[in-house]
Amino acid sequence: MDVSLDAGKRRIILHIDMNAFYCSVHAAEEPSLYRGKPTAVAGSVELRKGIVVTSSYEARARGVRTGMTVRQARSCCPELLIISPDFDIYRKYSRGFMRIAGSFTPLVEAVSIDECFLDITGSSQFGTPVEIAETIARRVKEELSLPCSIGIAPNKLLAKMASDMRKPNAITILRRRDMPALLWGKPCQALYGVGARTADKLLKLNIRTIGELAAADEKMLIDRFGVYGSWMKNAANGIDYAPVEPLHEAPKSIGHTTTLPADLTERDQYRRVLLNLADQTTRRLRRQRMVCQTVQITIRDPDMRTITRSFTLPVPTEAANDVYELACKLMDSHWKEGKPVRLLGITLQSLSPKQDTPLQLDLFTYEEEPKKQRLMTAMDALRDKFGEGAVLTAGMLGDDPSTLIRNKKLRGTSLQKDFLRESPDD
């Protein structure tokens, strides 16, 4: 089998995608309960009670799909086992497969909790690209009891698409020269990064397939879609210059994004997501004994169009409430209620060590600030001891604001974490 990449292409990129990650982790942790059985992770997140966020391949074979209600899923598969999420064990297994990936190259870019890119151009001492991928997949299976799919390509775009082509437990090579035979006949929406709405707009331009998009006039695409049009034409031709970007030094920002189980359109829905994001980012900020002065939000619509908006505070902060209030103001100013939201993120910027940053307190805040500090310290201590789900704010509880402290046994059923993607930036 020819495993070489395109002639003249020096980069060799792997994309590792953990298969049905959350369900696979539970099967690895408790094989007697879950291995080989139809399972689904579901719970209550951002007022989305009873939504299936991922399911095992056994459940998918019976018709269970992400986004279904638990009732719908069980109508397809009465024997379906519903599991509450546990992000502590998801992180443990995520660190495990990232550690394995990092043993082959320092150029590892974590995309989310369950996927990463590797640049193995300089890793030939470990074998051919296919041998490296096979070794990684074998180690992930042996050491973590998890399945994964790996794409091999000359760039990140093709590596990502390759890993999506065959699941689970598959290794796929995708070269630029393979694009005409394998992908050009597929609809535009099959191209990674092209959503349904963009595909509809392309259809109105008589661009139905990836091949037709590859051949389309670039100026016309730019006129209609801006720089996104140029990106689409390059992507349809298998061109992507983005480097694998590992973190080599202390972060200059702390961020968290979440891809939502379903599009949000109402203000109170996305405000709950922003509250959760503000809580997570400021907790990590405090762990590093830092304060921030700039808050940035990221918003992405179903067509993958993304905007970022930021504001710089007059005084640095480490408080979730400050970040949340500013994030809400930015969202209200730059996003019309009713317009669907696919992804939300908050990034804290302009970081500085707390001990080196003087905080100006006025007559109305100097008495309250020590109380706030003690409260944050107490909440952080509870989470350190009992887990992230041990303490919730009223705004995170939705229909049940009376209970602020949850029993440890309920960890993971709260609104503390997103279900589809957890993508820390630091």
Side-chain angles (χ1 to χ4, degrees):
M1 178 174 59
D2 177 17
V3 297
S4 62
L5 299 178
D6 290 339
K9 293 294 183 182
R10 296 183 178 179
R11 290 198 301 164
I12 305 171
I13 309 299
L14 303 187
H15 180 262
I16 303 176
D17 190 358
M18 306 305 294
N19 302 145
F21 182 58
Y22 297 167
C23 289
S24 297
V25 165
H26 288 288
E29 282 283 294
E30 300 180 271
S32 61
L33 291 179
Y34 301 124
R35 181 165 293 169
K37 299 178 182 179
T39 61
V41 171
S44 175
V45 169
E46 319 305 352
L47 296 181
R48 298 180 185 281
K49 294 183 178 179
I51 298 296
V52 171
V53 252
T54 190
S55 57
S56 67
Y57 285 93
E58 292 82 3
R60 297 177 195 186
R62 292 165 171 79
V64 178
R65 295 291 181 266
T66 296
M68 283 183 169
T69 64
V70 170
R71 180 178 298 178
Q72 290 171 328
R74 281 190 164 147
S75 69
C76 297
C77 180
E79 67 272 32
L80 183 68
L81 300 174
I82 302 298
I83 308 171
S84 295
D86 186 335
F87 280 85
D88 289 334
I89 62 169
Y90 301 156
R91 286 197 194 90
K92 181 181 75 172
Y93 279 84
S94 180
R95 289 192 295 268
F97 88 81
M98 295 288 183
R99 172 184 51 79
I100 293 172
S103 66
F104 292 88
T105 174
L107 301 177
V108 178
E109 178 182 345
V111 180
S112 67
I113 197 171
D114 64 346
E115 59 180 313
C116 66
F117 289 105
L118 287 71
D119 188 329
I120 60 166
T121 306
S123 302
S124 59
Q125 69 270 29
F126 297 108
T128 67
V130 170
E131 288 170 343
I132 292 173
E134 288 174 341
T135 303
I136 291 173
R138 184 180 67 252
R139 286 187 57 186
V140 169
K141 188 68 175 177
E142 291 175 352
E143 297 176 27
L144 303 175
S145 299
L146 296 180
C148 67
S149 292
I150 302 178
I152 307 174
N155 59 53
K156 291 167 68 174
L157 171 72
L158 294 184
K160 167 66 177 174
M161 295 188 69
S163 68
D164 286 339
M165 290 174 72
R166 293 192 299 144
K167 293 181 178 181
N169 289 312
I171 296 172
T172 305
I173 301 169
L174 184 61
R175 315 163 183 84
R176 282 192 61 195
R177 67 173 181 264
D178 298 327
M179 292 285 290
L182 296 181
L183 295 173
W184 277 7
K186 295 184 179 295
C188 292
Q189 194 174 345
L191 183 65
Y192 178 69
V194 175
R197 294 189 180 185
T198 300
D200 288 341
K201 293 176 182 178
L202 289 169
L203 190 60
K204 293 176 182 178
L205 300 173
N206 293 320
I207 300 175
R208 298 174 295 277
T209 66
I210 295 175
E212 290 172 342
L213 179 58
D217 179 71
E218 185 171 3
K219 183 178 183 303
M220 180 271 293
L221 292 173
I222 292 174
D223 289 342
R224 297 299 182 98
F225 299 97
V227 293
Y228 181 52
S230 179
W231 178 89
M232 285 193 293
K233 180 175 176 66
N234 278 335
N237 283 285
I239 298 172
D240 176 31
Y241 301 109
V244 172
E245 298 181 317
L247 291 174
H248 292 295
E249 57 186 23
K252 298 180 180 178
S253 64
I254 291 176
H256 195 98
T257 61
T258 175
T259 301
L260 302 158
D263 297 338
L264 299 182
T265 56
E266 298 178 12
R267 179 179 284 111
D268 64 339
Q269 291 178 325
Y270 60 64
R271 283 195 167 191
R272 291 187 186 280
V273 180
L274 292 174
L275 178 58
N276 186 30
L277 293 170
D279 177 68
Q280 294 177 64
T281 52
T282 53
R283 173 146 163 75
R284 285 157 49 201
L285 185 74
R286 293 191 296 273
R287 279 177 178 166
Q288 298 189 29
R289 296 179 176 84
M290 306 283 277
V291 292
C292 73
Q293 195 158 359
T294 298
V295 176
Q296 174 183 284
I297 64 168
T298 301
I299 313 168
R300 181 176 298 161
D301 70 11
D303 284 333
M304 305 298 286
R305 286 188 294 262
T306 305
I307 68 167
T308 59
R309 297 293 184 269
S310 62
F311 186 84
T312 298
L313 295 160
V315 177
T317 185
E318 62 176 351
N321 190 57
D322 295 339
V323 171
Y324 168 66
E325 290 180 357
L326 183 52
C328 288
K329 289 179 181 178
L330 287 169
M331 188 82 181
D332 291 344
S333 299
H334 299 286
W335 199 260
K336 183 178 180 181
E337 185 175 10
K339 187 177 179 181
V341 179
R342 171 186 171 84
L343 173 147
L344 281 173
I346 288 180
T347 302
L348 309 181
Q349 302 171 333
S350 303
L351 306 187
S352 58
K354 182 179 177 181
Q355 63 181 14
D356 299 335
T357 307
L359 302 180
Q360 295 180 345
L361 304 178
D362 59 29
L363 179 63
F364 302 101
T365 60
Y366 83 97
E367 291 183 343
E368 294 299 321
E369 190 63 26
K371 298 178 183 178
K372 290 170 58 179
Q373 291 288 333
R374 288 195 295 270
L375 177 60
M376 286 189 294
T377 300
M379 292 174 65
D380 288 343
L382 283 171
R383 286 170 165 175
D384 289 340
K385 185 173 183 179
F386 296 113
E388 294 298 320
V391 180
L392 302 178
T393 67
M396 294 178 185
L397 294 174
D399 296 331
D400 182 20
S402 60
T403 304
L404 297 185
I405 300 180
R406 291 288 181 94
N407 186 286
K408 182 182 178 183
K409 293 180 180 178
L410 298 184
R411 182 195 312 161
T413 63
S414 70
L415 308 183
Q416 279 297 96
K417 307 293 177 188
D418 64 279
F419 281 94
L420 285 184
R421 285 285 185 261
E422 178 166 302
S423 309
D425 299 329
D426 69 346

